Amino acid sequence: MAFKQAKKREPLGEAGLFEYAVRMLGRRMRTVRDLRRLMKTRAVEGAEGEQAMDAVVARLVELKYLSDTRFAADYTRMRKEGEKFGRRRVQQDLMGKGVASELVGAAVGAAYEGVDEVGLAREYIARKRMKQPAGADREKETARTMGRLLRAGFSAGTVFKVLRDWGVEVEEFEVEEG
């Protein structure tokens, strides 16, 4: 059985990269870093390709097709309202996507201002259909629930409040707030 050889693509110049970038943005919203990563695989190698990518990014920003600020705000809103994630999870996700820390702080701060974190954690629990720890494996279930809530971006204090509301006894310990 012979494998099909991948068709070698011709490297794209500035005009071709612009069309490619617009197609990629049409599929879903992206950060500047993400779009540059995609274009790098299609651009001419070397300084010429870098210049073409810089020009395409500048033009897309000028046309308001590309904005890390708008990406951060939209992403934060969708993760908070749709996924019911806590503040920390959204911050980490945005940082991982290459959004500048000052933009992350502004977007997350605005979206989570005045939000009842315990209420949001309860919404997350309902969305994930998590059950109260009970039975013989209660300690194990409690640890699992704690881990899921912490990974979803909720603070330790919020997790303890939710568990106490369920009547689960938990030993609080000092957790550094980051």
Side-chain angles (χ1 to χ4, degrees):
M1 180 163 89
F3 289 102
K4 224 181 202 182
Q5 198 79 35
K7 192 166 54 170
K8 185 78 173 150
R9 288 193 179 122
E10 200 61 37
L12 300 174
E14 188 177 328
L17 279 177
F18 182 79
E19 287 180 29
Y20 175 71
V22 169
R23 276 197 321 270
M24 292 300 103
L25 288 171
R27 290 183 181 164
R28 70 175 150 161
M29 59 183 187
R30 297 182 185 279
T31 62
V32 171
R33 185 180 91 176
D34 192 27
L35 190 61
R36 286 187 69 84
R37 180 187 54 78
L38 289 171
M39 286 192 300
K40 194 169 192 78
T41 63
R42 305 292 297 269
V44 176
E45 288 188 26
E48 184 184 340
E50 288 293 324
Q51 287 175 336
M53 287 191 301
D54 290 342
V56 168
V57 167
R59 187 165 169 212
L60 290 169
V61 168
E62 183 184 318
L63 293 170
K64 296 185 178 15
Y65 288 175
L66 185 63
S67 168
D68 277 0
T69 305
R70 191 173 58 237
F71 177 90
D74 290 347
Y75 186 87
T76 301
R77 180 182 46 77
M78 289 185 337
R79 298 294 271 197
K80 182 185 108 198
E81 293 172 6
E83 303 286 331
K84 309 297 184 204
F85 281 143
R87 171 187 289 259
R88 281 197 190 135
R89 171 71 181 265
V90 176
Q91 282 177 323
Q92 290 170 342
D93 289 353
L94 284 171
M95 295 298 278
K97 290 182 177 297
V99 178
S101 58
E102 58 274 1
L103 296 179
V104 171
V108 172
Y112 283 88
E113 185 179 335
V115 169
D116 174 25
E117 195 177 32
V118 174
L120 189 62
R122 286 190 186 111
E123 289 177 33
Y124 176 81
I125 287 169
R127 183 177 178 282
K128 294 294 184 177
R129 295 186 175 108
M130 295 167 61
K131 293 182 176 39
Q132 283 183 250
D137 291 338
R138 187 175 183 153
E139 282 185 30
K140 196 176 188 180
E141 291 294 319
T142 300
R144 185 175 292 134
T145 300
M146 284 179 68
R148 284 184 71 180
L149 289 170
L150 289 170
R151 283 189 301 278
F154 297 105
S155 69
T158 299
V159 173
F160 291 131
K161 282 179 189 156
V162 168
L163 290 173
R164 263 192 251 108
D165 288 350
W166 274 353
V168 176
E169 287 186 36
V170 288
E171 280 186 41
E172 287 198 40
F173 50 90
E174 287 297 313
V175 176
E176 281 187 34
E177 297 290 324

